[in-house]
Coordinates of all heavy atoms in Angstrom, one line a residue:
P1285 N -0.3 14.7 -2.9 CA -1.3 15.5 -2.0 C -1.6 14.8 -0.7 O -2.0 15.4 0.3 CB -2.4 15.7 -2.9 CG -2.0 15.6 -4.3 CD -1.0 14.5 -4.2
A1286 N -1.6 13.4 -0.7 CA -2.1 12.6 0.4 C -1.0 12.2 1.3 O -1.3 11.7 2.4 CB -2.9 11.4 0.0
A1287 N 0.2 12.4 0.9 CA 1.4 11.7 1.7 C 1.9 12.5 2.8 O 2.0 13.8 2.7 CB 2.5 11.4 0.6
I1288 N 2.3 11.8 3.9 CA 3.2 12.3 4.8 C 4.6 12.0 4.3 O 5.0 10.8 4.2 CB 2.9 11.7 6.2 CG1 1.5 11.9 6.7 CG2 4.0 12.2 7.3 CD1 1.2 11.1 7.9
A1289 N 5.4 13.0 4.0 CA 6.7 12.8 3.5 C 7.9 13.1 4.4 O 7.8 14.1 5.1 CB 6.8 13.5 2.1
R1290 N 9.0 12.3 4.4 CA 10.1 12.7 5.0 C 11.3 12.4 4.1 O 11.5 11.3 3.6 CB 10.3 11.9 6.4 CG 9.4 12.2 7.5 CD 9.6 13.7 7.9 NE 8.8 14.2 9.0 CZ 7.7 14.8 8.8 NH1 7.2 15.0 7.6 NH2 7.0 15.1 9.9
F1291 N 12.1 13.5 3.9 CA 13.3 13.3 3.0 C 14.6 13.5 3.7 O 14.7 14.4 4.6 CB 13.2 14.4 1.9 CG 12.0 14.2 1.0 CD1 11.7 15.3 0.1 CD2 11.3 13.0 0.9 CE1 10.6 15.2 -0.7 CE2 10.3 12.9 0.0 CZ 9.9 14.0 -0.8
A1292 N 15.6 12.7 3.4 CA 16.9 12.9 3.9 C 17.7 13.8 3.0 O 17.7 13.6 1.8 CB 17.6 11.6 4.1
I1293 N 18.3 14.9 3.5 CA 19.0 15.8 2.7 C 20.5 16.1 3.2 O 20.7 16.3 4.3 CB 18.2 17.2 2.8 CG1 16.7 17.0 2.4 CG2 18.9 18.3 1.9 CD1 15.9 18.2 2.8
E1294 N 21.3 15.9 2.2 CA 22.7 16.1 2.4 C 23.1 17.4 1.6 O 23.1 17.3 0.4 CB 23.5 14.9 2.0 CG 25.0 15.1 2.2 CD 25.4 14.9 3.6 OE1 24.6 14.3 4.4 OE2 26.5 15.3 4.0
G1295 N 23.5 18.4 2.3 CA 23.7 19.7 1.5 C 22.4 20.2 0.9 O 21.5 20.5 1.6
D1296 N 22.4 20.3 -0.4 CA 21.2 20.7 -1.0 C 20.4 19.6 -1.8 O 19.7 19.8 -2.8 CB 21.4 22.0 -1.9 CG 22.4 21.7 -3.0 OD1 23.0 20.6 -3.1 OD2 22.6 22.6 -3.9
R1297 N 20.9 18.3 -1.6 CA 20.5 17.3 -2.4 C 19.6 16.2 -1.6 O 20.0 15.9 -0.4 CB 21.7 16.6 -3.0 CG 21.3 15.3 -3.8 CD 22.6 14.5 -4.1 NE 22.2 13.2 -4.7 CZ 23.0 12.2 -4.8 NH1 24.3 12.3 -4.4 NH2 22.6 11.1 -5.4
V1298 N 18.5 15.8 -2.0 CA 17.8 14.7 -1.4 C 18.5 13.4 -1.6 O 18.8 13.1 -2.9 CB 16.3 14.6 -2.0 CG1 15.6 13.4 -1.4 CG2 15.5 15.9 -1.6
V1299 N 18.8 12.6 -0.6 CA 19.5 11.4 -0.9 C 18.6 10.1 -0.4 O 19.1 9.0 -0.5 CB 20.9 11.3 -0.1 CG1 21.8 12.5 -0.6 CG2 20.6 11.6 1.5
G1300 N 17.5 10.4 0.1 CA 16.6 9.3 0.5 C 15.3 9.9 1.0 O 15.1 11.1 1.2
G1301 N 14.3 9.0 1.2 CA 13.1 9.4 1.7 C 12.1 8.3 1.9 O 12.4 7.2 1.7
A1302 N 10.9 8.6 2.4 CA 9.8 7.6 2.6 C 8.5 8.4 2.7 O 8.5 9.6 3.1 CB 10.1 6.8 3.9
L1303 N 7.4 7.7 2.4 CA 6.1 8.2 2.5 C 5.2 7.4 3.3 O 5.5 6.2 3.5 CB 5.5 8.3 1.0 CG 6.3 9.0 -0.1 CD1 5.6 8.9 -1.4 CD2 6.7 10.4 0.3
A1304 N 4.2 8.0 3.9 CA 3.1 7.3 4.6 C 1.8 7.9 4.2 O 1.7 9.1 4.1 CB 3.4 7.4 6.2
F1305 N 0.9 7.1 4.2 CA -0.5 7.6 3.7 C -1.5 7.3 4.8 O -1.7 6.1 5.1 CB -0.9 6.8 2.4 CG 0.1 7.0 1.3 CD1 0.9 5.9 1.0 CD2 0.3 8.2 0.7 CE1 1.9 6.0 0.0 CE2 1.2 8.3 -0.3 CZ 2.1 7.2 -0.6
P1306 N -2.1 8.3 5.4 CA -3.1 8.1 6.5 C -4.3 7.4 5.7 O -4.8 7.7 4.7 CB -3.5 9.5 6.9 CG -2.4 10.3 6.6 CD -1.7 9.7 5.3
C1307 N -4.8 6.3 6.4 CA -5.9 5.6 5.9 C -6.6 4.8 7.0 O -6.3 5.1 8.2 CB -5.4 4.5 4.8 SG -4.2 3.4 5.5
E1308 N -7.5 3.9 6.7 CA -8.1 3.0 7.7 C -7.9 1.6 7.3 O -7.9 1.3 6.0 CB -9.6 3.3 7.7 CG -9.9 4.7 8.4 CD -11.4 5.0 8.3 OE1 -12.1 4.9 7.3 OE2 -11.9 5.3 9.5
Q1309 N -7.7 0.8 8.2 CA -7.4 -0.6 8.0 C -8.4 -1.5 8.7 O -8.7 -1.3 9.9 CB -5.9 -0.9 8.5 CG -5.4 -2.2 8.1 CD -3.9 -2.3 8.4 OE1 -3.3 -1.4 9.0 NE2 -3.3 -3.4 8.0
H1310 N -8.8 -2.6 8.0 CA -9.8 -3.5 8.6 C -9.2 -4.4 9.6 O -8.3 -5.3 9.2 CB -10.6 -4.3 7.5 CG -11.4 -3.5 6.5 ND1 -12.7 -3.1 6.9 CD2 -11.2 -2.9 5.4 CE1 -13.2 -2.4 5.9 NE2 -12.3 -2.3 5.0
I1311 N -9.5 -4.3 10.8 CA -9.0 -5.1 11.9 C -10.2 -5.6 12.8 O -10.9 -4.9 13.3 CB -8.0 -4.5 12.8 CG1 -6.8 -3.9 12.0 CG2 -7.5 -5.3 13.9 CD1 -5.9 -4.9 11.4
G1312 N -10.4 -7.0 12.7 CA -11.5 -7.5 13.5 C -12.8 -7.0 13.2 O -13.8 -6.9 13.9
G1313 N -13.0 -6.7 11.8 CA -14.3 -6.2 11.3 C -14.6 -4.8 11.5 O -15.7 -4.4 11.2
R1314 N -13.6 -4.0 12.0 CA -13.8 -2.6 12.2 C -12.6 -1.9 11.6 O -11.6 -2.5 11.3 CB -13.9 -2.3 13.7 CG -15.2 -2.7 14.3 CD -15.2 -2.5 15.8 NE -15.1 -1.1 16.2 CZ -15.0 -0.5 17.4 NH1 -15.1 -1.4 18.4 NH2 -14.9 0.7 17.6
L1315 N -12.8 -0.6 11.4 CA -11.8 0.2 10.7 C -11.0 0.9 11.8 O -11.4 1.5 12.7 CB -12.4 1.3 9.8 CG -13.0 0.7 8.5 CD1 -13.8 1.9 7.8 CD2 -12.0 0.2 7.6
V1316 N -9.6 0.7 11.6 CA -8.6 1.3 12.5 C -7.8 2.3 11.8 O -7.3 2.0 10.7 CB -7.8 0.2 13.2 CG1 -6.8 0.7 14.2 CG2 -8.7 -0.9 13.9
S1317 N -7.5 3.4 12.4 CA -6.6 4.4 11.7 C -5.2 3.9 11.5 O -4.7 3.2 12.5 CB -6.6 5.8 12.5 OG -6.1 5.5 13.8
S1318 N -4.7 4.1 10.4 CA -3.4 3.5 10.0 C -2.6 4.4 9.1 O -3.1 5.2 8.4 CB -3.6 2.0 9.4 OG -2.3 1.4 9.2
G1319 N -1.3 4.1 9.2 CA -0.4 4.8 8.2 C 0.3 3.8 7.3 O 1.1 3.0 7.8
A1320 N 0.0 3.8 6.0 CA 0.5 2.8 5.0 C 1.8 3.4 4.5 O 1.9 4.4 3.9 CB -0.4 2.6 3.9
V1321 N 2.9 2.7 4.9 CA 4.3 3.2 4.5 C 4.7 2.7 3.1 O 4.4 1.5 2.8 CB 5.3 2.7 5.5 CG1 6.8 3.1 5.1 CG2 5.1 3.3 6.9
A1322 N 5.2 3.5 2.3 CA 5.6 3.2 1.0 C 6.8 4.0 0.5 O 7.1 5.0 1.2 CB 4.4 3.3 0.0
S1323 N 7.4 3.6 -0.6 CA 8.4 4.4 -1.2 C 9.6 4.6 -0.4 O 10.2 5.7 -0.4 CB 7.8 5.6 -1.9 OG 6.9 5.3 -2.8
V1324 N 10.0 3.7 0.5 CA 11.2 3.9 1.3 C 12.4 3.7 0.4 O 12.6 2.5 0.0 CB 11.2 2.9 2.6 CG1 12.4 3.2 3.4 CG2 10.0 3.1 3.4
C1325 N 13.2 4.7 0.2 CA 14.3 4.5 -0.7 C 15.5 5.4 -0.4 O 15.3 6.4 0.2 CB 13.9 4.8 -2.2 SG 13.1 6.4 -2.3
V1326 N 16.7 4.9 -0.7 CA 17.9 5.7 -0.4 C 18.8 5.6 -1.7 O 18.8 4.6 -2.4 CB 18.7 5.1 0.8 CG1 20.0 5.8 0.9 CG2 17.9 5.1 2.0
A1327 N 19.4 6.7 -2.1 CA 20.3 6.7 -3.2 C 21.4 5.7 -3.0 O 22.0 5.5 -1.9 CB 20.9 8.1 -3.4
P1328 N 21.8 4.9 -4.1 CA 22.7 3.8 -3.9 C 24.0 4.2 -3.1 O 24.5 3.4 -2.3 CB 23.0 3.4 -5.3 CG 21.8 3.7 -6.1 CD 21.3 5.0 -5.5
E1329 N 24.5 5.3 -3.4 CA 25.9 5.7 -2.8 C 25.7 6.1 -1.4 O 26.7 6.3 -0.7 CB 26.5 6.9 -3.6 CG 25.7 8.2 -3.6 CD 24.7 8.3 -4.8 OE1 24.2 7.2 -5.2 OE2 24.5 9.4 -5.3

């Protein structure tokens, strides 16, 4: 529900993808808007 998702699709099949999560990150004692990237993956073939 929280993810920005992008999927690579070949034909009707997902062959890879990645997620990013909008959040805030502590930088210099203040909160800065950030996107935490995770689950970057591609099918082996």
Side-chain angles (χ1 to χ4, degrees):
I1288 301 172
R1290 287 296 180 270
F1291 295 163
I1293 303 168
E1294 182 76 19
D1296 60 355
R1297 179 191 171 195
V1298 173
V1299 298
L1303 309 178
F1305 307 105
C1307 59
E1308 293 179 305
Q1309 191 168 5
H1310 292 277
I1311 303 291
R1314 291 174 59 183
L1315 288 171
V1316 180
S1317 62
S1318 186
V1321 175
S1323 300
V1324 182
C1325 54
V1326 177
E1329 62 272 31

